[in-house]
């Protein structure tokens, strides 16, 4: 672990930003520019494809994929982000597991508010099943809003009487649109990325007037996750969204779900994106790859 690495990343994330509300396109462009600086590992190839009705990015090892498929949901507050902005994450998971990943380009708010994203992720999962994929070799993974989609897509799949995937891996998941976690206040100012106000702006675009007190919007406090597959929830202590993961883990544990809550000290939101720069990021991705190996039928990911 490197205090110097963590300090450098914190300073980078605290660089001055334009004052006042930004347009949606400006938010999207700024996020693309930031994520373009992340390190994508060697040994992978990407192919543009479709999954269900939506575009997707297929990420594969160049030397051939092993059994197993990661269905990945990118972050971005349901307003910004894409499979390309998440490539440091999907690329590292593919490189470390040897399996392929489909990173879904689901519809974004404000053009397509709730529940459009969940409709798209469920359609993508259904497309994998319809193609003959065994659910015991499919895992859901995602970061931030996409981490929340790993849970809500499981809820939607269960409601549709579909078999559930083998496992869930969620990085810094957004799991509570009510924003009632204590960390929303205790980590204010410590979090270099989010504020309650910034989350409120993008959250309002996704909600579009819907009540956040809905299991599909706030699963950490309202969802029944009985029967869910094993879950790995990774989060940093410097996040206002910390309690989204801690409360989701408690809720899963109470429902009898196999859950691992993996908290890393003094790191920011989706710190795993900094693989190759931050030691804790590489170590967390190693743990995620091991978790996937332990909870798939093939057990040949690593």
């Amino acid at each position: 672990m490197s205090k110097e690495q963590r300090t450098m990343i914190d300073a980078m994330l605290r660089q001055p930003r334009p004052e006042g509300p930004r347009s949606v396109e400006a938010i999207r462009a700024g996020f693309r520019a930031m994520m373009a600086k992340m390190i994508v590992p060697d040994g992978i190839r990407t192919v543009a494809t479709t999954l269900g009705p939506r575009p997707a990015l297929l990420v594969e090892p160049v030397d051939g994929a092993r059994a197993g498929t990661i269905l990945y949901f990118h972050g971005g507050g349901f307003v910004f982000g894409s499979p390309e902005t998440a490539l440091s994450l999907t690329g590292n998971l593919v490189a470390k597991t040897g399996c392929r990943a489909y990173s879904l380009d689901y519809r974004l708010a404000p053009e397509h508010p709730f529940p459009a994203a969940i409709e798209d992720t469920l359609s993508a999962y259904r497309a994998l099943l319809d193609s003959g994929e065994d659910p015991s070799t499919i895992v859901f993974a995602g970061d931030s809003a996409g981490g929340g989609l790993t849970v809500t897509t499981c809820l939607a799949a269960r409601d549709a009487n579909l078999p559930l995937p083998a496992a869930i891996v969620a990085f810094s998941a957004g799991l509570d649109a009510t924003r009632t976690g204590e960390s929303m206040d205790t980590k204010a100012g410590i979090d270099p990325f989010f504020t309650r106000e910034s989350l409120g702006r993008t959250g309002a675009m996704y909600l579009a007037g819907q009540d956040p007190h809905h299991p599909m919007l706030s699963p950490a406090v309202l969802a029944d996750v009985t029967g869910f597959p094993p879950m790995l929830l990774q989060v940093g202590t410097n996040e206002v969204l910390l309690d989204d993961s801690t409360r989701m883990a408690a809720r899963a544990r109470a429902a009898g779900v196999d859950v691992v809550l993996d908290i890393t000290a003094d790191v920011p939101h989706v710190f795993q994106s900094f693989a190759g720069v931050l030691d804790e990021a590489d170590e967390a991705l190693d743990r995620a790859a091991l978790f996937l190996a332990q909870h798939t039928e093939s057990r040949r990911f690593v």
Side-chain angles (χ1 to χ4, degrees):
M1 300 183 190
S2 169
K3 182 177 179 180
E4 291 76 16
Q5 293 170 350
R6 296 194 301 268
T7 300
M8 176 192 69
I9 290 169
D10 186 85
M12 183 194 78
L13 293 174
R14 292 183 188 278
Q15 288 180 357
R17 303 176 191 178
E19 294 186 6
R22 292 185 294 162
S23 69
V24 171
E25 187 46 52
I27 294 171
R28 291 170 177 169
F31 188 68
R32 284 195 301 269
M34 182 180 75
M35 298 309 292
K37 299 175 183 177
M38 303 303 168
I39 297 172
V40 177
D42 296 328
I44 63 167
R45 61 169 171 257
T46 62
V47 180
T49 185
T50 58
L51 196 56
R54 294 298 303 167
L57 192 67
L58 174 61
V59 187
E60 298 179 294
V62 293
D63 56 357
R66 300 178 181 180
T69 299
I70 299 169
L71 181 54
Y72 196 89
F73 309 134
H74 69 79
F78 301 104
V79 171
F80 50 95
S82 68
E84 288 73 24
T85 62
L87 194 53
S88 64
L89 295 164
T90 51
N92 272 289
L93 285 177
V94 167
K96 290 175 182 293
T97 62
C99 66
R100 65 179 181 171
Y102 284 97
S103 186
L104 185 69
D105 191 6
Y106 57 86
R107 289 173 293 169
L108 299 176
E111 297 91 341
H112 304 283
F114 172 80
I118 300 171
E119 292 171 349
D120 290 348
T121 56
L122 180 64
S123 292
Y125 181 49
R126 194 188 296 273
L128 285 179
L129 296 176
D130 289 347
S131 73
E133 290 269 351
D134 187 332
S136 68
T137 63
I138 300 172
V139 297
F140 291 173
D143 65 281
S144 195
L149 285 169
T150 65
V151 175
T152 54
T153 305
C154 262
L155 290 171
R158 190 184 63 189
D159 289 348
N161 294 314
L162 296 177
L164 297 186
I168 288 172
V169 172
F171 304 138
S172 299
L175 294 160
D176 176 24
T178 70
R179 308 298 184 206
T180 53
E182 289 185 5
S183 57
M184 287 296 302
D185 297 315
T186 60
K187 300 299 179 178
I190 296 172
D191 188 327
F193 199 85
F194 285 137
T195 64
R196 183 182 286 277
E197 292 71 27
S198 67
L199 288 170
R201 284 194 294 272
T202 53
M205 294 180 198
Y206 182 57
L207 288 172
Q210 294 283 333
D211 185 350
H213 295 85
H214 188 294
M216 290 291 190
L217 291 167
S218 301
V221 291
L222 293 167
D224 175 8
V225 294
T226 301
F228 262 39
M231 305 170 68
L232 171 64
L233 306 173
Q234 290 188 343
V235 67
T237 62
N238 289 8
E239 300 195 48
V240 293
L241 295 183
L242 171 62
D243 284 348
D244 286 37
S245 291
T246 60
R247 289 176 298 156
M248 187 74 255
R251 197 167 189 84
R253 187 167 56 247
V257 175
D258 179 2
V259 59
V260 177
L261 177 62
D262 182 355
I263 301 176
T264 298
D266 299 326
V267 292
H269 187 66
V270 194
F271 66 95
Q272 299 88 344
S273 295
F274 294 95
V277 176
L278 178 66
D279 292 343
E280 288 88 343
D282 293 288
E283 293 162 3
L285 287 164
D286 285 341
R287 296 194 296 273
L290 177 61
F291 182 86
L292 296 180
Q294 291 172 331
H295 292 95
T296 55
E297 190 173 75
S298 69
R299 296 176 181 260
R300 293 190 292 122
F301 278 15
V302 293

